[in-house]
Amino acid sequence: MRQDNVSQVIVIGGGAAGLAVAYGLVMRGLTVTVLEFGPVPDPQREFLTDTPPETLPWRGHGADGEEAYPAAHLISDTDAPYRLGIEAGRSFLKRVRVAGGKTLYWTAHALRFGDLEFQARTLTGRGEDWPLNHATLSPWYAAAERLMGVTGQPAGLIQHPDGQFQPPLFGLRAAERQMQAALARQGVPLVLARKAISNGERSPACHGCGRCALGCRTAAKYDAFSRLVPAAARTGRLTLRSNAIVTEIIPDANRWAHGVNIMDRQTGATTSLTAQVVVVAASAVETARLLLASPHPDGGKGLANSSGLVGVFLSESMGVEIEGWLPALKGTARKSGPRADFPHHGEHGLIPRHVNLSPGSEADFGGGWLFLTQSGPTLFPSPAQLQSGFGRAWKQALSAWHPASIRLQGIAEVGMRRENHIRLDPHQVDTWGRPLPKVSFTLSDEDRARWQAMVDAGCTFLDTLGADHITVRRMVPETGGGLHACGTCRMGKDPVTSVTNEFGQTHDIPNLFIADASLFVSSLNQPTLTVMALALRQAHFIADWLRHPPPRR
């Protein structure tokens, strides 16, 4: 096996966290090698930004009804299955392996979280406290917002504190303004969504095509690859190795991280790399999987696992879509071109968590949810399933209702429990010979109560607005929603009850760091901005730490 020593820091994973920490490190003068499982993206060839969905199989929603990622970046359950501890079959965790990660396909909602989340136990009597608060993270939130170009308006929310906003491109639409007024009378805010989309100041302005989840060819939507890699590469201190599968982290005789063994995903060739610091940012499941699969000098169960908590407290988010139609907007469509009714430009509004805001709540669950709002025409007119009739009269009635839709996209947290965890399968391996992760994940009674309360609240909001034909989609699955896995290497002050400190530095191995949502102490809805802020803060800490590292004993 060939051995290279190319950089001061190795970063495993080139997604939101990995590229952010790499960017922060090279800007502080360090040399960094990023090892990415997947390829480098080709936006012009691979992204479907302006491809009419009607030209795609299943109108771009896949045979199972889920919006499909470009196949080149989706890791299949055939090549790399996750063994589910609760059921056989397809994994519920969506995995995209490509430089930039899921930021290539996210919908760009960039929310700060306040002490209602970070100090939940102290402020509400439920949940757990993180080892930091919003004041500590605020400067790094601001740094991330400047890098990402987050647009929005100040609203004074305790749930999502105001940030360094760029002027917004889009405002609330007619139905959302009506809902805003109706909710205000109930003391529930509806504010403009905070989104990492360009207003034209530093990159091409978003043109509102509404296809964020299919990739953005113009880079008007923030993604970690197009925004961070060019700037970091210009320093001459960044090396990005694509198609590099890290099979294990190598400890030295002093039980520090010495380097990594990697395999080329395409050729199978193996290489060993060494560095002064190793940062793991491979996603909640893959980060835990790698630590558990790496050899421990004393034969223990994985690296950085003296607490026994690596892979434990896996969490997710639960989703629902609730739709209704407003009679007051029936027949109000205005067309200025052949495709003026498509698309609906994504979610413009945000209804923040409005339950469990203080101690003494009567709810039979902790935490809460948020709603993202959409309104106006969609590609396929949903009223077609409800409108009776046939022929021209039916089409005219359908056209009249088409612009009157309002939709709530609800996202609720899942409580962190020891029962939800990741272990390695002792018998089965994936295509590349790595032990399969066995995922055990179920929803608790409290999670189900929270989800049902979210659905009830959304239906009540639409009913208060006078909406007709209220429908609920995406009923709660047993396995969460698959988009925001977190919590398998939680941060904390006590090495007995956590894997890392507040900077993501593992308690057991001083030069081994975790930089992704594995660190989370609670499940955050829309976590990307927090991941970015923590990664930038970690990069600053590592750069200072490397000036005077402790001796290896």
Side-chain angles (χ1 to χ4, degrees):
M1 178 181 291
R2 186 167 58 88
Q3 180 168 314
D4 294 327
N5 187 353
V6 294
S7 299
Q8 292 168 282
V9 181
I10 291 171
V11 177
I12 302 168
L19 291 182
V21 74
Y23 173 89
L25 288 167
V26 300
M27 293 304 173
R28 287 290 303 273
L30 278 69
T31 56
V32 178
T33 294
V34 175
L35 302 174
E36 167 53 43
F37 185 111
V40 169
D42 182 349
Q44 298 307 312
R45 181 177 63 86
E46 296 169 334
F47 290 173
L48 304 177
T49 311
D50 50 8
T51 302
E54 60 265 28
T55 67
L56 300 174
W58 301 91
R59 290 181 174 261
H61 282 264
D64 60 356
E66 292 292 331
E67 193 163 32
Y69 290 114
H73 304 154
L74 181 68
I75 291 298
S76 73
D77 288 304
T78 301
D79 287 337
Y82 283 177
R83 298 296 298 170
L84 300 184
I86 56 172
E87 60 182 40
R90 185 173 179 178
S91 168
F92 69 97
L93 292 164
K94 293 181 175 64
R95 292 168 285 157
V96 176
R97 296 292 181 262
V98 61
K102 289 182 184 175
T103 65
L104 299 181
Y105 305 109
W106 72 317
T107 52
H109 290 279
L111 300 179
R112 290 191 181 206
F113 285 84
D115 287 342
L116 191 65
E117 193 70 49
F118 295 130
Q119 300 296 305
R121 170 65 65 175
T122 298
L123 296 181
T124 70
R126 295 186 176 186
E128 296 185 56
D129 289 347
W130 293 47
L132 47 74
N133 56 26
H134 178 263
T136 300
L137 201 55
S138 183
W140 303 102
Y141 268 138
E145 287 160 345
R146 288 191 294 269
L147 273 175
M148 299 167 79
V150 177
T151 63
Q153 293 176 334
L157 302 174
I158 62 170
Q159 304 93 322
H160 307 292
D162 295 329
Q164 301 288 316
F165 297 137
Q166 302 294 317
L169 280 169
F170 308 111
L172 297 176
R173 290 156 290 202
E176 291 162 328
R177 291 195 299 271
Q178 290 183 27
M179 174 168 278
Q180 183 183 51
L183 293 184
R185 292 190 288 271
Q186 303 176 37
V188 177
L190 191 163
V191 303
L192 193 64
R194 289 97 186 261
K195 304 190 76 171
I197 54 176
S198 174
N199 61 7
E201 293 185 4
R202 290 186 294 176
S203 60
C206 172
H207 55 282
C209 74
R211 307 306 290 166
C212 294
L214 298 180
C216 183
R217 284 178 177 164
T218 66
K221 180 195 73 174
Y222 170 83
D223 72 73
F225 178 77
S226 65
R227 193 69 58 86
L228 300 183
V229 170
R234 284 193 292 270
T235 68
R237 294 186 286 271
L238 175 70
T239 300
L240 173 61
R241 295 183 63 157
S242 59
N243 297 306
I245 302 175
V246 178
T247 57
E248 60 184 8
I249 300 168
I250 311 165
D252 66 14
N254 297 305
R255 297 175 175 80
W256 284 43
H258 178 65
V260 299
N261 289 332
I262 66 174
M263 174 190 298
D264 187 286
R265 187 165 69 100
Q266 297 174 318
T267 68
T270 57
T271 307
S272 176
L273 303 180
T274 62
Q276 294 172 263
V277 169
V278 175
V279 179
V280 190
S283 80
V285 173
E286 292 297 329
T287 290
R289 176 192 201 181
L290 179 59
L291 294 179
L292 292 172
S294 296
H296 189 282
D298 300 325
K301 294 183 178 180
L303 293 181
N305 196 26
S306 64
S307 65
L309 295 179
V310 170
V312 182
F313 295 110
L314 172 65
S315 189
E316 241 292 19
S317 56
M318 303 177 288
V320 68
E321 185 177 88
I322 307 170
E323 183 173 20
W325 292 271
L326 302 182
L329 295 181
K330 182 179 180 180
T332 58
R334 295 182 180 180
K335 294 185 178 181
S336 57
R339 294 182 62 83
D341 279 351
F342 172 75
H344 48 75
H345 310 315
E347 306 96 347
H348 285 200
L350 164 68
I351 302 173
R353 170 177 158 183
H354 52 277
V355 297
N356 292 327
L357 302 183
S358 61
S361 169
E362 296 181 358
D364 54 357
F365 54 85
W369 58 83
L370 60 80
F371 287 111
L372 304 172
T373 67
Q374 300 176 326
S375 66
T378 58
L379 176 65
F380 182 81
S382 299
Q385 302 174 26
L386 302 173
Q387 181 72 37
S388 61
F390 182 79
R392 177 174 295 183
W394 177 79
K395 293 179 180 179
Q396 290 174 342
L398 189 60
S399 297
W401 277 111
H402 196 196
S405 170
I406 182 164
R407 297 168 297 283
L408 299 178
Q409 182 69 47
I411 307 171
E413 63 184 87
V414 174
M416 291 193 169
R417 299 181 295 127
R418 287 179 176 269
E419 295 87 344
N420 290 340
H421 60 258
I422 299 159
R423 296 287 185 265
L424 297 184
D425 191 309
H427 307 295
Q428 300 190 57
V429 297
D430 65 13
T431 300
W432 301 280
R434 303 179 303 160
L436 294 182
K438 295 179 67 175
V439 179
S440 294
F441 186 94
T442 58
L443 301 178
S444 67
D445 291 342
E446 183 178 358
D447 294 329
R448 295 177 182 281
R450 186 183 305 110
W451 186 86
Q452 188 58 55
M454 172 178 65
V455 173
D456 293 344
C459 290
T460 298
F461 290 164
L462 293 186
D463 185 65
T464 301
L465 197 59
D468 290 338
H469 304 301
I470 298 173
T471 57
V472 177
R473 302 189 185 93
R474 299 181 190 175
M475 300 300 288
V476 59
E478 182 62 29
T479 50
L483 294 175
H484 302 141
C486 61
T488 56
C489 298
R490 57 169 41 195
M491 63 167 63
K493 297 178 181 179
D494 187 347
V496 175
T497 59
S498 59
V499 178
T500 81
N501 64 16
E502 64 177 279
F503 296 100
Q505 183 181 35
T506 60
H507 293 303
D508 296 357
I509 304 175
N511 70 333
L512 177 62
F513 289 76
I514 311 297
D516 54 32
S518 305
L519 297 171
F520 284 15
V521 179
S522 57
S523 169
L524 303 185
N525 305 323
Q526 305 298 332
T528 305
L529 182 63
T530 302
V531 168
M532 283 277 296
L534 289 171
L536 294 174
R537 182 172 182 255
Q538 181 183 96
H540 187 75
F541 177 85
I542 292 173
D544 289 343
W545 182 82
L546 275 176
R547 292 179 178 177
H548 305 287
R552 300 192 182 197
R553 296 190 180 94

